[in-house]
């Protein structure tokens, strides 16, 4: 084997190692949800206290992604990845052996810190390792599948582990995976030094950003539990901290986060589109799982199996077809098609009946969403990373993850609130509980479809100017057809 072939093989092996690390993080978000009833029974959580098993993780995770991505640019992306992997693995062990509510919630917060550090730099490393467009499209397709389909895999895995053994194993399974991932990462991923902390050692700015994002995520997650006055106050403080951070970045010599990346219409537009899309999809998957459980009577494992076709379709599109299609037809056309498929899937979900069946009412919309997600997410990630230089790749990667997490948190909170309010109105009007619940879900699905429609409009607005990556692909049909 030639030296070039060995190097190329090492790059692809490194990609798979990074994706295993990403899969472990993504799985953890949904795998815990399935085990919550068992955790509640063992540790005596109240319903409001149980929510913090999820929220503690999401607050740390969503609040640190942007800072973690920038740290990768400053001190080296592999170092941040390995550090996050170590924190996440140790915290998983602490979660598994937790004997009290406080211990589990604290360990979940630390786990969120590790998850943010690990996942924030992965996409940046991928686009750096694969600069050639055709290879990059294929590599991002692999990453896109892991990032988008990992949630449904988590539902299936969590249900299986909880049913077969106990909830402790949803955390213990991370230990061998984390250790092996770290070993192979050290061997296969090049240790590229960052630009140095002097290039952006802004401690006050880091504190403002982290506090603002964490407080913002906490406000979104607790919007139903906190009073209106508290929500307004914490939301206002969060916005003020983030605005103060942005103003500070324009006035200091070595900003933590240079704002030049955000001036790219493609980068900013792609992140807005992703936030809208994930906002709708998070609500759909969450409420879709509730429909299966509360209306059709599925158990946790059956819910995971029901979403398995979506995962399979996502995998086929992301791994095999998304890259060649984007090169052949352009990023804009690919993205619009994918968004239309997802929107149509949500509209079909909005007609699911109380006496529904899997093959007729659940499978078709989940297949459409799987096709759209697998086709569109790699194109969206390519656009979001298109304006990043090697010194900004970590920041761009962290921004992609932040827009997805914040968009998902806002979307889930908003759609769940709207669904609950509509359900309560129907119950007050005398409808049966299943019919009222289903009516609430339908309203949320329609709002999700509307968010996708807005994303389509933004796609046309942002990607219509000459010089976009998709038009470059259209100008080279012969090269694209060879992919």
């Amino acid at each position: 084997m030639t030296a070039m072939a060995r190097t190329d093989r090492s790059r692809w092996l490194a990609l798979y190692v990074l994706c295993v690390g990403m899969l472990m993080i993504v799985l953890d978000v949904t795998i815990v949800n399935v085990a919550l009833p068992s955790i509640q029974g063992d540790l005596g959580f109240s319903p409001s206290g149980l929510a913090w098993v999820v929220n503690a993780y999401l607050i740390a995770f969503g609040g640190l992604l942007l800072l973690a991505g920038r740290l990768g640019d400053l001190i080296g992306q592999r170092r941040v990845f390995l550090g996050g992997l170590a924190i996440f693995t140790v915290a998983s062990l602490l979660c598994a052996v937790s004997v009290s509510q406080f211990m589990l919630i604290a360990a979940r917060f630390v786990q969120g810190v590790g998850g943010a550090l690990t996942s924030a730099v992965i996409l940046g490393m991928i686009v750096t390792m694969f600069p050639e467009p055709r290879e990059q499209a294929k590599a991002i397709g692999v990453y896109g599948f892991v990032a988008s389909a990992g949630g449904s895999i988590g539902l299936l895995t969590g249900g299986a582990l909880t049913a077969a053994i106990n909830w402790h194993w949803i955390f213990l399974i991370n230990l061998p995976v984390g250790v092996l991932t770290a070993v192979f990462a050290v061997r296969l991923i090049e240790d590229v030094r960052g630009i140095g902390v002097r290039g952006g050692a802004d401690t006050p700015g880091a504190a403002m950003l982290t506090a603002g994002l964490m407080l913002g995520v906490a406000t979104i997650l607790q919007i139903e539990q906190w009073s209106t006055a508290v929500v307004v106050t914490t939301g206002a403080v969060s916005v003020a901290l983030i605005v103060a951070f942005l103003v500070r970045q324009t006035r200091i010599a070595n900003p933590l986060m240079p704002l030049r990346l955000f001036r790219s219409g493609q980068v900013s537009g792609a992140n807005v589109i992703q936030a809208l899309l994930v906002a709708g999809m998070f609500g759909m998957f969450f409420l879709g799982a509730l429909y299966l459980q509360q209306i059709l009577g599925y158990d946790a494992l059956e819910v995971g199996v029901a979403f398995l076709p979506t995962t399979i379709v996502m995998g086929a599109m992301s791994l095999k077809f998304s890259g060649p299609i984007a090169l052949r037809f352009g990023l804009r056309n690919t993205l619009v098609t994918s968004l239309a498929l997802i929107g149509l899937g949500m509209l079909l979900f909005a007609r699911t009946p109380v006496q529904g069946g899997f093959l007729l009412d659940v499978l078709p919309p989940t297949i459409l969403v799987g096709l759209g997600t697998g086709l569109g997410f790699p194109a969206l990630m390519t656009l979001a990373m298109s304006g990043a230089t090697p010194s900004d790749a970590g920041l761009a990667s962290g921004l992609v993850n932040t827009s997805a997490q914040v968009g998902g948190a806002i979307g889930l909170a908003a759609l769940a609130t709207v669904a609950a309010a509509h359900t309560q109105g129907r119950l007050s009007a005398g409808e049966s509980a299943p019919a009222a619940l289903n009516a609430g879900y339908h309203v949320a699905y329609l709002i999700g479809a509307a968010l996708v429609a807005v994303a389509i409009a933004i796609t046309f607005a942002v990607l219509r100017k000459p010089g976009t990556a998709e038009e470059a692909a259209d100008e080279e049909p012969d090269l694209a057809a060879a992919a």
Side-chain angles (χ1 to χ4, degrees), residues 356-367:
F358 175 75
L359 290 178
L360 183 62
D361 301 303
V362 177
L363 185 60
T366 57
I367 292 295

Side-chain angles (χ1 to χ4, degrees), residues 1-13 188:
M1 185 182 295
T2 65
M4 182 176 295
R6 282 196 300 270
T7 301
D8 188 63
R9 181 170 178 269
S10 295
R11 283 191 305 144
W12 287 102
L13 288 174
L188 294 170

Side-chain angles (χ1 to χ4, degrees), residues 17 30 36-37 106 122 128 141 144 146 161 176 213 226 257 391 411 443 449 462:
V17 169
T30 54
L36 287 177
I122 291 177
T128 302
V146 170
L161 287 173
L213 285 174
W226 290 349
M257 292 183 187
S391 62
V443 171
V462 170

Side-chain angles (χ1 to χ4, degrees), residues 68-81:
R70 187 54 177 163
L71 282 176
D73 295 328
L74 299 178
I75 66 175
Q77 292 171 354
R78 192 185 80 157
R79 294 180 183 181
V80 171
F81 176 80

Side-chain angles (χ1 to χ4, degrees), residues 348-423:
L348 287 181
F349 259 121
R351 54 157 294 281
T352 49
V354 172
Q355 301 296 331
F358 175 75
L359 290 178
L360 183 62
D361 301 303
V362 177
L363 185 60
T366 57
I367 292 295
L368 285 172
V369 172
L371 286 170
T373 304
L375 178 64
F377 264 84
L380 198 53
M381 291 172 190
T382 300
L383 287 167
M385 297 297 294
S386 62
T389 65
S391 62
D392 291 334
L395 172 58
S397 178
L399 180 61
V400 170
N401 284 281
T402 300
S403 65
Q405 290 301 316
V406 173
I410 293 174
L412 183 54
L415 294 183
T417 300
V418 169
H422 192 74
T423 294

Side-chain angles (χ1 to χ4, degrees), residues 21-22 24-26 28 57 60-62 64-65 68 83-85 87-89 91 108-122 401:
M22 186 66 186
M24 185 172 67
I25 305 302
V26 174
D28 203 76
Y57 179 91
F61 187 73
L64 284 170
L65 278 168
L85 204 60
I87 293 171
F88 185 88
T89 304
R108 286 286 287 165
F109 184 88
V110 177
Q111 204 181 24
V113 173
L117 292 169
T118 302
S119 59
V121 295
I122 291 177
N401 284 281

Side-chain angles (χ1 to χ4, degrees), residues 19-203:
C19 286
V20 169
M22 186 66 186
L23 180 61
M24 185 172 67
I25 305 302
V26 174
L27 282 176
D28 203 76
V29 176
T30 54
I31 199 172
V32 173
N33 291 338
V34 179
L36 287 177
S38 298
I39 293 172
Q40 183 177 22
D42 279 1
L43 298 182
F45 276 101
S46 66
S48 59
L50 187 65
W52 281 99
V53 176
V54 176
N55 292 352
Y57 179 91
L58 292 177
I59 289 169
F61 187 73
L64 284 170
L65 278 168
L66 205 54
L67 178 61
R70 187 54 177 163
L71 282 176
D73 295 328
L74 299 178
I75 66 175
Q77 292 171 354
R78 192 185 80 157
R79 294 180 183 181
V80 171
F81 176 80
L82 290 173
L85 204 60
I87 293 171
F88 185 88
T89 304
V90 171
S92 296
L93 176 60
L94 294 175
C95 288
V97 300
S98 292
V99 293
S100 69
Q101 297 178 16
F102 176 79
M103 182 177 179
L104 180 58
I105 291 172
R108 286 286 287 165
F109 184 88
V110 177
Q111 204 181 24
V113 173
L117 292 169
T118 302
S119 59
V121 295
I122 291 177
L123 189 54
M125 285 193 279
I126 290 174
V127 298
T128 302
M129 287 192 298
F130 298 93
E132 196 274 323
R134 193 177 291 103
E135 285 190 333
Q136 187 178 104
K138 183 178 178 181
I140 290 180
V142 176
Y143 172 85
F145 165 66
V146 170
S148 57
S152 53
I153 297 173
L155 288 173
L156 182 60
T157 307
L161 287 173
T162 304
I165 314 176
N166 56 53
W167 66 266
H168 300 277
W169 282 89
I170 66 172
F171 299 113
L172 286 173
I173 197 173
N174 291 332
L175 271 62
V177 177
V179 170
L180 288 173
T181 302
V183 169
F184 283 106
V186 170
R187 295 184 60 183
L188 294 170
I189 300 172
E190 184 181 358
D191 185 15
V192 179
R193 294 186 177 277
I195 60 177
V197 292
R198 291 184 179 179
D202 178 19
T203 302

